[in-house]
Amino acid sequence: AVAGGHNVQMTEHSHHFLALAVLTPADAVVHIAGPEALLFGTAGFLLPVLPASCTPEAVELHKKLWAQWWPLRAQFELAPDRSFPWTYSGNRPANHPQRRVGAMAVIAADFDAFKRLCLVGYTEELTKYLSSLTHPYWSTHVTLPSPPSPRPMALMGRDRILDFIINHLLPMKDDEHAWKHYLSLRAGQAGTKVLSVHQSLLGGRPDAHAFLAKAWHHQALLQIHEDLCSLHSCAICSLLKQMEKK
């Protein structure tokens, strides 16, 4: 959930993260001696040997994780035909899957604090908590072999936290208070699909910008894209014709 929002923005990586969560349930991750090693090893990110160009910090982290992973390997390592087919092209560096797994490991290390904040009335506190997460390595690295970044990077940015609240926390509550809270949430940065559908349907309206203000606006536009735009040409779109009449 933390690694990839389960919504109409679902990506291929999100499916992999959900599968990783099933393979490494919270009880196992929280109570095991090396939760970070368990997550990285099961995800297939722990190679026996790092490239020679790696920094001493990377070598040190890899050595620690590999030592913790070795006793768990027989139980949790996936067979080659079941391994995750991660893809890395098109990802922003801060969203690299290895950094997402690093964020999961930080949360697992203090899972009780995370659970206490997973309530509808504590979304501001939860946002502050997740925004403040740091890791001695992953706050400044994209992958195990990568060089350090010049500035620290957030393990979870605002948009990712908003996705988690909208698509996991609020649906679990499923009452009027949760619904009102959902409607009040301001949107994060609009993605390419959101902007494309927004321009097609609402670009000619003087109040078009107002339909990008809330998180539910973005989700509605994404749902339209999934249900209509990805299946039909704009030339035959009945919804587009209706919007032009408004």
Coordinates of all heavy atoms in Angstrom, one line a residue, residues 104-199:
M104 N 9.4 1.0 2.9 CA 8.6 -0.1 3.6 C 9.4 -0.6 4.8 O 8.8 -0.9 5.8 CB 8.4 -1.2 2.6 CG 7.4 -0.8 1.4 SD 7.3 -2.1 0.1 CE 6.5 -3.4 1.0
A105 N 10.7 -0.7 4.6 CA 11.5 -1.3 5.7 C 11.6 -0.3 6.9 O 11.5 -0.7 8.1 CB 12.9 -1.6 5.2
V106 N 11.6 1.0 6.6 CA 11.6 2.0 7.7 C 10.3 1.9 8.5 O 10.3 2.0 9.7 CB 11.9 3.4 7.1 CG1 11.7 4.5 8.2 CG2 13.3 3.5 6.5
I107 N 9.2 1.8 7.7 CA 7.9 1.8 8.4 C 7.8 0.5 9.2 O 7.3 0.5 10.3 CB 6.8 1.8 7.3 CG1 6.7 3.2 6.7 CG2 5.4 1.5 8.0 CD1 5.8 3.4 5.6
A108 N 8.3 -0.6 8.7 CA 8.2 -1.9 9.4 C 9.0 -1.9 10.7 O 8.6 -2.5 11.7 CB 8.7 -3.0 8.5
A109 N 10.1 -1.1 10.7 CA 10.9 -1.0 11.9 C 10.1 -0.3 13.1 O 10.5 -0.5 14.2 CB 12.2 -0.2 11.6
D110 N 9.1 0.5 12.8 CA 8.3 1.1 13.8 C 6.8 1.0 13.5 O 6.1 2.0 13.4 CB 8.7 2.6 14.0 CG 8.1 3.2 15.2 OD1 7.6 2.5 16.1 OD2 8.2 4.4 15.4
F111 N 6.4 -0.2 13.2 CA 5.1 -0.5 12.7 C 4.0 -0.1 13.6 O 2.9 0.4 13.2 CB 4.9 -1.9 12.3 CG 3.8 -2.2 11.4 CD1 3.8 -1.7 10.1 CD2 2.7 -3.0 11.7 CE1 2.8 -1.9 9.2 CE2 1.7 -3.2 10.9 CZ 1.7 -2.7 9.6
D112 N 4.2 -0.1 14.9 CA 3.1 0.2 15.9 C 2.8 1.7 15.8 O 1.6 2.1 15.8 CB 3.6 -0.1 17.3 CG 3.6 -1.6 17.6 OD1 2.9 -2.3 16.9 OD2 4.2 -2.0 18.5
A113 N 3.8 2.6 15.6 CA 3.6 4.0 15.4 C 2.8 4.3 14.2 O 1.9 5.1 14.2 CB 4.9 4.7 15.4
F114 N 3.1 3.6 13.1 CA 2.4 3.7 11.9 C 0.9 3.3 12.0 O 0.0 4.0 11.6 CB 3.1 2.9 10.8 CG 2.4 2.8 9.5 CD1 2.2 3.9 8.7 CD2 1.8 1.6 9.0 CE1 1.6 3.9 7.5 CE2 1.2 1.5 7.8 CZ 1.0 2.7 7.0
K115 N 0.7 2.2 12.7 CA -0.7 1.7 12.8 C -1.5 2.7 13.7 O -2.7 2.9 13.4 CB -0.7 0.3 13.5 CG -0.3 -0.8 12.6 CD -0.7 -2.1 13.2 CE 0.0 -2.4 14.5 NZ -0.3 -3.8 15.0
R116 N -0.9 3.3 14.7 CA -1.7 4.2 15.5 C -2.2 5.4 14.8 O -3.2 6.0 15.1 CB -0.8 4.7 16.7 CG -0.6 3.6 17.8 CD 0.0 4.3 19.1 NE 1.3 4.9 18.8 CZ 2.5 4.2 19.0 NH1 2.4 2.9 19.4 NH2 3.6 4.8 18.8
L117 N -1.5 5.8 13.7 CA -1.8 7.0 12.9 C -2.7 6.6 11.8 O -3.2 7.5 11.1 CB -0.6 7.7 12.4 CG 0.3 8.3 13.5 CD1 1.6 8.8 12.9 CD2 -0.4 9.4 14.3
C118 N -3.0 5.4 11.5 CA -3.8 5.0 10.4 C -5.3 5.1 10.7 O -6.0 4.1 10.7 CB -3.5 3.6 9.9 SG -1.9 3.5 9.0
L119 N -5.7 6.2 11.1 CA -7.1 6.5 11.5 C -7.5 7.8 10.7 O -6.7 8.7 10.5 CB -7.3 6.7 13.0 CG -6.9 5.5 13.9 CD1 -6.9 6.0 15.3 CD2 -7.9 4.4 13.7
V120 N -8.8 7.9 10.4 CA -9.3 9.0 9.6 C -9.0 10.3 10.2 O -8.7 11.3 9.6 CB -10.8 8.8 9.3 CG1 -11.4 10.1 8.6 CG2 -11.1 7.6 8.4
G121 N -9.1 10.4 11.5 CA -9.0 11.6 12.2 C -7.5 12.1 12.4 O -7.2 13.1 13.0
Y122 N -6.6 11.2 12.0 CA -5.2 11.5 12.2 C -4.4 11.7 10.8 O -3.2 11.4 10.8 CB -4.5 10.4 13.0 CG -5.0 10.4 14.4 CD1 -6.1 9.6 14.8 CD2 -4.3 11.1 15.4 CE1 -6.5 9.6 16.1 CE2 -4.8 11.1 16.7 CZ -5.9 10.3 17.1 OH -6.3 10.3 18.4
T123 N -5.1 12.0 9.8 CA -4.4 12.1 8.5 C -3.3 13.1 8.4 O -2.3 12.9 7.8 CB -5.4 12.3 7.3 OG1 -6.2 13.5 7.7 CG2 -6.3 11.1 7.2
E124 N -3.5 14.3 9.1 CA -2.4 15.3 9.2 C -1.2 14.7 9.9 O -0.1 14.9 9.4 CB -2.9 16.6 9.8 CG -4.0 17.3 9.0 CD -4.3 18.7 9.6 OE1 -3.6 19.1 10.5 OE2 -5.3 19.3 9.1
E125 N -1.5 14.1 11.0 CA -0.3 13.5 11.8 C 0.4 12.4 11.0 O 1.6 12.3 11.0 CB -0.8 13.0 13.1 CG -1.3 14.0 14.1 CD -2.7 14.5 13.9 OE1 -3.3 14.1 12.9 OE2 -3.2 15.2 14.7
L126 N -0.5 11.6 10.3 CA 0.1 10.5 9.5 C 1.0 11.1 8.3 O 2.1 10.6 8.0 CB -1.0 9.7 8.9 CG -0.6 8.5 7.9 CD1 0.3 7.5 8.7 CD2 -1.8 7.9 7.3
T127 N 0.5 12.2 7.7 CA 1.2 12.8 6.7 C 2.6 13.4 7.2 O 3.6 13.2 6.5 CB 0.4 14.0 6.0 OG1 -0.8 13.5 5.5 CG2 1.2 14.7 5.0
K128 N 2.5 14.0 8.3 CA 3.8 14.5 8.9 C 4.8 13.4 9.2 O 6.0 13.5 9.0 CB 3.5 15.3 10.2 CG 2.8 16.6 10.0 CD 2.4 17.3 11.3 CE 1.7 18.6 11.1 NZ 1.3 19.2 12.4
Y129 N 4.2 12.3 9.8 CA 5.0 11.1 10.1 C 5.7 10.5 8.9 O 6.9 10.3 8.9 CB 4.2 10.1 10.8 CG 4.9 8.7 11.0 CD1 5.8 8.5 12.0 CD2 4.5 7.6 10.2 CE1 6.5 7.3 12.1 CE2 5.2 6.4 10.3 CZ 6.1 6.3 11.3 OH 6.8 5.1 11.4
L130 N 4.9 10.3 7.9 CA 5.5 9.6 6.6 C 6.4 10.6 5.9 O 7.4 10.2 5.3 CB 4.3 9.2 5.7 CG 3.4 8.1 6.3 CD1 2.3 7.8 5.3 CD2 4.2 6.8 6.5
S131 N 6.1 11.9 6.0 CA 7.0 12.9 5.3 C 8.4 13.0 6.0 O 9.3 13.3 5.4 CB 6.4 14.3 5.3 OG 5.1 14.3 4.6
S132 N 8.4 12.6 7.3 CA 9.6 12.7 8.1 C 10.5 11.5 8.1 O 11.6 11.5 8.6 CB 9.3 13.1 9.5 OG 8.6 12.0 10.2
L133 N 10.0 10.4 7.4 CA 10.8 9.2 7.4 C 12.2 9.4 6.7 O 12.3 10.1 5.7 CB 10.1 8.1 6.6 CG 8.7 7.6 7.2 CD1 8.1 6.6 6.3 CD2 9.0 7.0 8.6
T134 N 13.2 8.9 7.3 CA 14.5 8.9 6.8 C 15.2 7.6 6.9 O 14.8 6.7 7.7 CB 15.4 10.0 7.5 OG1 15.5 9.6 8.9 CG2 14.8 11.4 7.4
H135 N 16.3 7.4 6.1 CA 17.1 6.2 6.2 C 18.5 6.6 5.9 O 18.8 7.4 5.0 CB 16.6 5.2 5.1 CG 17.3 3.8 5.2 ND1 18.5 3.6 4.7 CD2 16.8 2.7 5.7 CE1 18.9 2.4 4.9 NE2 17.8 1.8 5.5
P136 N 19.5 6.1 6.7 CA 20.8 6.5 6.5 C 21.4 6.3 5.1 O 22.3 7.0 4.7 CB 21.6 5.7 7.5 CG 20.7 4.5 7.9 CD 19.3 5.1 7.8
Y137 N 20.8 5.4 4.3 CA 21.3 5.1 3.0 C 20.3 5.6 1.9 O 20.6 6.3 1.0 CB 21.6 3.6 2.8 CG 22.3 3.4 1.5 CD1 23.6 3.5 1.3 CD2 21.5 3.0 0.3 CE1 24.3 3.3 0.1 CE2 22.2 2.8 -0.9 CZ 23.6 2.9 -1.0 OH 24.2 2.7 -2.2
W138 N 19.0 5.2 2.1 CA 18.0 5.4 1.0 C 17.5 6.9 1.0 O 16.9 7.3 0.0 CB 16.8 4.5 1.2 CG 17.3 3.1 1.0 CD1 17.3 2.1 2.0 CD2 17.7 2.5 -0.2 NE1 17.8 0.9 1.4 CE2 18.1 1.1 0.1 CE3 17.9 3.0 -1.5 CZ2 18.6 0.3 -0.9 CZ3 18.4 2.1 -2.5 CH2 18.7 0.8 -2.1
S139 N 17.8 7.7 1.9 CA 17.5 9.1 1.8 C 18.4 9.8 0.8 O 18.0 10.9 0.4 CB 17.6 9.8 3.2 OG 16.6 9.3 4.1
T140 N 19.5 9.2 0.5 CA 20.5 9.9 -0.4 C 20.9 9.0 -1.6 O 21.8 9.3 -2.3 CB 21.7 10.3 0.3 OG1 22.3 9.2 1.0 CG2 21.4 11.4 1.3
H141 N 20.2 7.8 -1.8 CA 20.6 6.9 -2.8 C 19.3 6.4 -3.6 O 18.2 6.3 -3.0 CB 21.4 5.7 -2.3 CG 22.7 6.1 -1.8 ND1 23.0 6.6 -0.6 CD2 24.0 5.9 -2.4 CE1 24.3 6.8 -0.4 NE2 24.9 6.4 -1.5
V142 N 19.5 6.1 -4.8 CA 18.4 5.6 -5.7 C 18.4 4.1 -5.7 O 17.3 3.5 -5.6 CB 18.5 6.2 -7.1 CG1 17.4 5.6 -8.0 CG2 18.3 7.7 -7.1
T143 N 19.6 3.5 -5.8 CA 19.7 2.1 -5.8 C 20.9 1.7 -5.0 O 21.7 2.6 -4.6 CB 19.9 1.5 -7.3 OG1 21.2 2.0 -7.7 CG2 18.8 2.0 -8.2
L144 N 21.1 0.4 -4.7 CA 22.3 0.0 -4.0 C 23.6 0.4 -4.7 O 24.5 0.9 -4.1 CB 22.3 -1.5 -3.8 CG 21.7 -2.0 -2.5 CD1 21.5 -3.5 -2.5 CD2 22.5 -1.6 -1.3
P145 N 23.7 0.3 -6.0 CA 25.0 0.6 -6.7 C 25.1 2.1 -7.0 O 26.2 2.6 -7.4 CB 25.0 -0.2 -8.0 CG 23.8 -1.1 -7.9 CD 22.9 -0.5 -6.9
S146 N 24.1 2.9 -6.8 CA 24.1 4.3 -7.3 C 25.0 5.2 -6.4 O 25.1 4.9 -5.2 CB 22.7 4.9 -7.4 OG 22.2 5.0 -6.1
P147 N 25.5 6.3 -7.0 CA 26.3 7.2 -6.1 C 25.3 8.0 -5.3 O 24.1 8.1 -5.6 CB 27.0 8.1 -7.2 CG 26.1 8.0 -8.4 CD 25.5 6.6 -8.4
P148 N 25.7 8.7 -4.2 CA 24.8 9.5 -3.4 C 24.4 10.7 -4.1 O 25.1 11.3 -5.0 CB 25.7 9.8 -2.2 CG 27.1 9.7 -2.7 CD 27.1 8.7 -3.7
S149 N 23.1 11.1 -3.8 CA 22.6 12.3 -4.4 C 23.1 13.6 -3.7 O 23.5 13.4 -2.5 CB 21.1 12.3 -4.3 OG 20.6 12.3 -3.0
P150 N 23.2 14.7 -4.3 CA 23.7 15.9 -3.6 C 22.9 16.4 -2.5 O 23.4 17.0 -1.5 CB 23.8 17.0 -4.7 CG 22.8 16.5 -5.8 CD 22.9 15.0 -5.7
R151 N 21.5 16.1 -2.5 CA 20.6 16.5 -1.5 C 19.8 15.3 -1.1 O 19.5 14.4 -1.9 CB 19.7 17.6 -1.9 CG 20.4 18.9 -2.2 CD 19.5 20.0 -2.6 NE 18.7 19.7 -3.8 CZ 19.1 19.9 -5.0 NH1 20.3 20.4 -5.2 NH2 18.4 19.6 -6.1
P152 N 19.4 15.2 0.2 CA 18.5 14.1 0.6 C 17.1 14.2 -0.1 O 16.7 15.2 -0.5 CB 18.2 14.5 2.1 CG 19.4 15.3 2.5 CD 19.7 16.1 1.3
M153 N 16.6 13.0 -0.4 CA 15.3 12.9 -1.1 C 14.3 12.2 -0.1 O 14.6 11.3 0.7 CB 15.4 11.9 -2.3 CG 16.4 12.5 -3.4 SD 16.6 11.3 -4.7 CE 17.6 10.0 -3.9
A154 N 13.0 12.7 -0.1 CA 12.0 12.2 0.7 C 11.8 10.7 0.4 O 11.7 10.3 -0.8 CB 10.7 13.0 0.6
L155 N 11.6 9.9 1.4 CA 11.3 8.5 1.2 C 9.8 8.4 0.7 O 9.5 7.5 -0.1 CB 11.5 7.6 2.4 CG 12.9 7.4 2.9 CD1 12.9 6.5 4.1 CD2 13.8 6.8 1.8
M156 N 9.0 9.2 1.2 CA 7.6 9.3 0.7 C 7.2 10.7 0.5 O 7.2 11.5 1.4 CB 6.6 8.6 1.7 CG 6.7 7.1 1.7 SD 5.3 6.4 2.6 CE 3.9 6.8 1.6
G157 N 6.9 11.1 -0.7 CA 6.5 12.5 -1.0 C 5.0 12.7 -0.8 O 4.3 11.7 -0.5
R158 N 4.6 13.9 -0.9 CA 3.2 14.3 -0.6 C 2.2 13.5 -1.4 O 1.2 13.1 -0.9 CB 3.0 15.8 -0.7 CG 1.6 16.2 -0.4 CD 1.4 17.7 -0.6 NE 0.0 18.1 -0.2 CZ -1.0 18.0 -1.0 NH1 -0.9 17.5 -2.3 NH2 -2.2 18.3 -0.7
D159 N 2.5 13.4 -2.7 CA 1.6 12.8 -3.6 C 1.4 11.3 -3.3 O 0.3 10.7 -3.4 CB 2.0 12.9 -5.1 CG 1.9 14.4 -5.6 OD1 1.2 15.2 -4.9 OD2 2.4 14.7 -6.7
R160 N 2.5 10.6 -2.9 CA 2.4 9.2 -2.6 C 1.7 9.0 -1.3 O 0.9 8.1 -1.1 CB 3.9 8.7 -2.4 CG 3.9 7.2 -2.1 CD 3.5 6.4 -3.3 NE 4.2 6.6 -4.5 CZ 4.1 5.9 -5.6 NH1 3.1 5.0 -5.7 NH2 4.8 6.2 -6.7
I161 N 1.9 9.9 -0.3 CA 1.1 9.9 0.9 C -0.4 10.1 0.7 O -1.2 9.4 1.3 CB 1.7 10.9 1.9 CG1 3.1 10.6 2.3 CG2 0.8 10.9 3.2 CD1 3.8 11.6 3.1
L162 N -0.7 11.1 -0.2 CA -2.1 11.3 -0.5 C -2.7 10.1 -1.1 O -3.9 9.8 -0.8 CB -2.2 12.5 -1.4 CG -3.5 13.0 -1.8 CD1 -4.3 13.5 -0.6 CD2 -3.4 14.2 -2.9
D163 N -2.0 9.5 -2.0 CA -2.5 8.2 -2.7 C -2.8 7.2 -1.6 O -3.9 6.5 -1.7 CB -1.5 7.6 -3.6 CG -1.4 8.4 -5.0 OD1 -2.4 9.1 -5.2 OD2 -0.4 8.2 -5.7
F164 N -1.9 7.0 -0.6 CA -2.2 6.0 0.4 C -3.4 6.4 1.2 O -4.2 5.5 1.5 CB -0.9 6.0 1.3 CG -1.2 5.1 2.5 CD1 -1.2 3.7 2.4 CD2 -1.3 5.7 3.8 CE1 -1.4 2.9 3.5 CE2 -1.5 4.9 4.9 CZ -1.6 3.5 4.8
I165 N -3.6 7.6 1.6 CA -4.7 8.0 2.4 C -6.0 7.8 1.6 O -7.0 7.3 2.1 CB -4.6 9.5 2.8 CG1 -3.5 9.6 3.8 CG2 -5.9 10.0 3.4 CD1 -3.1 11.1 4.2
I166 N -6.0 8.2 0.4 CA -7.2 8.1 -0.5 C -7.6 6.7 -0.8 O -8.8 6.3 -0.7 CB -7.1 8.9 -1.8 CG1 -7.0 10.4 -1.5 CG2 -8.2 8.6 -2.8 CD1 -6.7 11.3 -2.7
N167 N -6.6 5.9 -1.1 CA -6.9 4.6 -1.7 C -6.9 3.4 -0.7 O -7.3 2.3 -1.0 CB -6.0 4.3 -2.8 CG -6.1 5.3 -4.0 OD1 -7.2 5.4 -4.6 ND2 -5.1 6.1 -4.2
H168 N -6.4 3.7 0.5 CA -6.3 2.6 1.5 C -6.9 3.0 2.9 O -7.7 2.3 3.4 CB -4.8 2.2 1.7 CG -4.2 1.7 0.5 ND1 -4.3 0.3 0.1 CD2 -3.5 2.2 -0.5 CE1 -3.7 0.1 -1.0 NE2 -3.2 1.3 -1.4
L169 N -6.5 4.2 3.4 CA -7.0 4.5 4.7 C -8.5 4.9 4.8 O -9.2 4.3 5.5 CB -6.1 5.7 5.2 CG -6.4 6.2 6.6 CD1 -6.2 5.1 7.6 CD2 -5.5 7.4 7.0
L170 N -8.9 5.8 3.9 CA -10.3 6.2 3.9 C -11.3 5.1 3.5 O -12.3 5.0 4.1 CB -10.5 7.4 3.0 CG -9.7 8.7 3.5 CD1 -10.0 9.9 2.6 CD2 -10.1 9.1 4.9
P171 N -11.0 4.3 2.5 CA -11.9 3.2 2.2 C -12.1 2.2 3.3 O -13.1 1.6 3.4 CB -11.3 2.5 1.0 CG -10.5 3.6 0.3 CD -9.9 4.4 1.5
M172 N -11.1 2.0 4.2 CA -11.2 1.1 5.3 C -12.2 1.6 6.3 O -12.9 0.8 6.9 CB -9.8 0.9 6.0 CG -8.8 0.1 5.3 SD -7.4 -0.4 6.3 CE -6.8 1.2 6.8
K173 N -12.4 2.9 6.4 CA -13.4 3.5 7.3 C -14.7 3.4 6.7 O -15.7 3.0 7.4 CB -13.0 4.9 7.7 CG -13.8 5.6 8.7 CD -13.7 4.9 10.1 CE -14.5 5.6 11.2 NZ -14.4 4.9 12.4
D174 N -14.9 3.9 5.5 CA -16.1 3.7 4.7 C -17.4 4.2 5.5 O -18.4 3.5 5.7 CB -16.3 2.3 4.3 CG -17.4 2.1 3.3 OD1 -17.7 3.1 2.5 OD2 -18.0 1.0 3.2
D175 N -17.3 5.5 6.0 CA -18.5 6.1 6.6 C -18.6 7.6 6.1 O -17.8 8.0 5.3 CB -18.4 6.0 8.1 CG -17.2 6.7 8.7 OD1 -16.6 7.5 8.0 OD2 -17.0 6.5 9.9
E176 N -19.6 8.3 6.6 CA -19.8 9.6 6.1 C -18.6 10.6 6.4 O -18.3 11.4 5.6 CB -21.1 10.2 6.8 CG -21.5 11.6 6.3 CD -22.8 12.1 6.8 OE1 -23.4 11.4 7.7 OE2 -23.2 13.2 6.5
H177 N -18.0 10.4 7.6 CA -16.9 11.2 8.0 C -15.7 11.0 7.0 O -15.1 12.0 6.6 CB -16.5 10.9 9.4 CG -15.2 11.7 9.9 ND1 -15.2 13.0 10.0 CD2 -14.0 11.2 10.2 CE1 -14.0 13.4 10.4 NE2 -13.3 12.3 10.5
A178 N -15.5 9.7 6.7 CA -14.4 9.4 5.8 C -14.7 10.0 4.4 O -13.8 10.5 3.7 CB -14.2 7.9 5.7
W179 N -16.0 9.9 4.0 CA -16.4 10.4 2.7 C -16.2 12.0 2.6 O -15.6 12.5 1.6 CB -17.8 10.1 2.4 CG -18.4 10.6 1.1 CD1 -19.3 11.6 1.0 CD2 -17.9 10.3 -0.2 NE1 -19.6 11.8 -0.4 CE2 -18.7 11.1 -1.1 CE3 -17.0 9.4 -0.8 CZ2 -18.6 11.0 -2.5 CZ3 -16.9 9.3 -2.2 CH2 -17.7 10.1 -3.0
K180 N -16.6 12.7 3.6 CA -16.5 14.1 3.7 C -15.0 14.5 3.7 O -14.6 15.5 3.0 CB -17.2 14.7 4.9 CG -18.7 14.7 4.8 CD -19.3 15.3 6.0 CE -20.9 15.3 5.9 NZ -21.5 15.9 7.1
H181 N -14.2 13.8 4.4 CA -12.8 14.0 4.4 C -12.1 13.8 3.1 O -11.3 14.6 2.6 CB -12.1 13.1 5.5 CG -10.6 13.5 5.7 ND1 -10.2 14.6 6.4 CD2 -9.5 12.8 5.4 CE1 -8.9 14.6 6.4 NE2 -8.4 13.6 5.8
Y182 N -12.5 12.8 2.4 CA -12.1 12.5 1.0 C -12.4 13.7 0.1 O -11.5 14.1 -0.7 CB -12.7 11.2 0.5 CG -12.5 11.0 -1.0 CD1 -11.3 10.8 -1.5 CD2 -13.7 11.0 -1.8 CE1 -11.2 10.6 -2.9 CE2 -13.5 10.7 -3.2 CZ -12.3 10.5 -3.7 OH -12.2 10.3 -5.0
L183 N -13.6 14.2 0.2 CA -14.0 15.3 -0.7 C -13.3 16.6 -0.4 O -13.2 17.4 -1.3 CB -15.5 15.5 -0.6 CG -16.5 14.4 -1.1 CD1 -17.9 14.8 -0.8 CD2 -16.2 14.1 -2.5
S184 N -12.7 16.7 0.8 CA -12.1 17.9 1.2 C -10.6 17.9 0.8 O -9.9 19.0 0.8 CB -12.2 18.1 2.7 OG -11.4 17.2 3.4
L185 N -10.0 16.8 0.4 CA -8.6 16.7 0.2 C -8.2 17.4 -1.1 O -8.7 17.2 -2.1 CB -8.1 15.2 0.1 CG -8.2 14.4 1.4 CD1 -7.9 12.9 1.1 CD2 -7.2 15.0 2.4
R186 N -7.2 18.3 -0.9 CA -6.6 19.0 -2.1 C -5.8 18.0 -2.9 O -5.1 17.1 -2.4 CB -5.8 20.1 -1.6 CG -6.5 21.2 -0.9 CD -5.7 22.4 -0.5 NE -5.2 23.1 -1.7 CZ -4.3 24.1 -1.7 NH1 -3.9 24.6 -0.6 NH2 -3.9 24.6 -2.9
A187 N -5.8 18.3 -4.2 CA -5.1 17.4 -5.1 C -3.6 17.6 -5.1 O -3.1 18.7 -4.7 CB -5.6 17.6 -6.6
G188 N -2.8 16.5 -5.4 CA -1.4 16.7 -5.6 C -1.1 17.1 -7.0 O -2.0 17.7 -7.7
Q189 N 0.1 16.9 -7.5 CA 0.5 17.3 -8.8 C -0.2 16.4 -9.8 O -0.3 15.2 -9.7 CB 2.0 17.1 -9.0 CG 2.5 17.6 -10.3 CD 4.0 17.5 -10.4 OE1 4.7 17.1 -9.4 NE2 4.6 17.9 -11.5
A190 N -0.8 17.1 -10.8 CA -1.6 16.3 -11.9 C -0.6 15.6 -12.8 O 0.4 16.2 -13.3 CB -2.4 17.3 -12.6
G191 N -0.9 14.4 -13.1 CA -0.1 13.6 -14.0 C -0.5 13.8 -15.5 O -1.5 14.5 -15.8
T192 N 0.2 13.2 -16.4 CA -0.1 13.4 -17.8 C -1.5 13.0 -18.2 O -2.1 13.7 -19.0 CB 1.0 12.6 -18.6 OG1 2.3 12.9 -18.2 CG2 0.8 12.8 -20.1
K193 N -1.9 11.8 -17.7 CA -3.3 11.4 -18.1 C -4.4 12.3 -17.6 O -5.3 12.6 -18.3 CB -3.5 10.0 -17.5 CG -2.7 8.9 -18.2 CD -3.0 7.5 -17.6 CE -2.2 6.4 -18.2 NZ -2.5 5.1 -17.6
V194 N -4.2 12.8 -16.3 CA -5.2 13.7 -15.8 C -5.2 15.0 -16.6 O -6.3 15.5 -17.0 CB -4.8 14.1 -14.3 CG1 -5.6 15.3 -13.8 CG2 -5.0 12.9 -13.4
L195 N -4.1 15.5 -17.0 CA -4.0 16.8 -17.7 C -4.6 16.6 -19.1 O -5.3 17.5 -19.7 CB -2.6 17.3 -17.8 CG -2.0 17.8 -16.5 CD1 -0.6 18.2 -16.6 CD2 -2.8 19.0 -15.9
S196 N -4.3 15.4 -19.7 CA -4.8 15.1 -21.1 C -6.3 15.1 -21.1 O -7.0 15.7 -22.0 CB -4.2 13.8 -21.6 OG -4.7 13.5 -22.9
V197 N -6.9 14.3 -20.2 CA -8.4 14.2 -20.2 C -9.0 15.5 -19.8 O -10.1 15.9 -20.3 CB -8.8 13.1 -19.2 CG1 -10.3 13.0 -19.1 CG2 -8.2 11.8 -19.5
H198 N -8.4 16.2 -18.8 CA -8.9 17.5 -18.4 C -9.0 18.5 -19.6 O -10.0 19.2 -19.8 CB -8.1 18.1 -17.3 CG -8.4 19.5 -16.8 ND1 -7.8 20.6 -17.3 CD2 -9.4 19.9 -15.9 CE1 -8.4 21.6 -16.8 NE2 -9.3 21.3 -15.9
Q199 N -7.9 18.5 -20.4 CA -7.9 19.4 -21.5 C -8.9 19.1 -22.6 O -9.6 19.9 -23.1 CB -6.5 19.4 -22.1 CG -6.3 20.3 -23.4 CD -6.6 21.8 -23.1 OE1 -6.3 22.2 -22.0 NE2 -7.1 22.5 -24.0

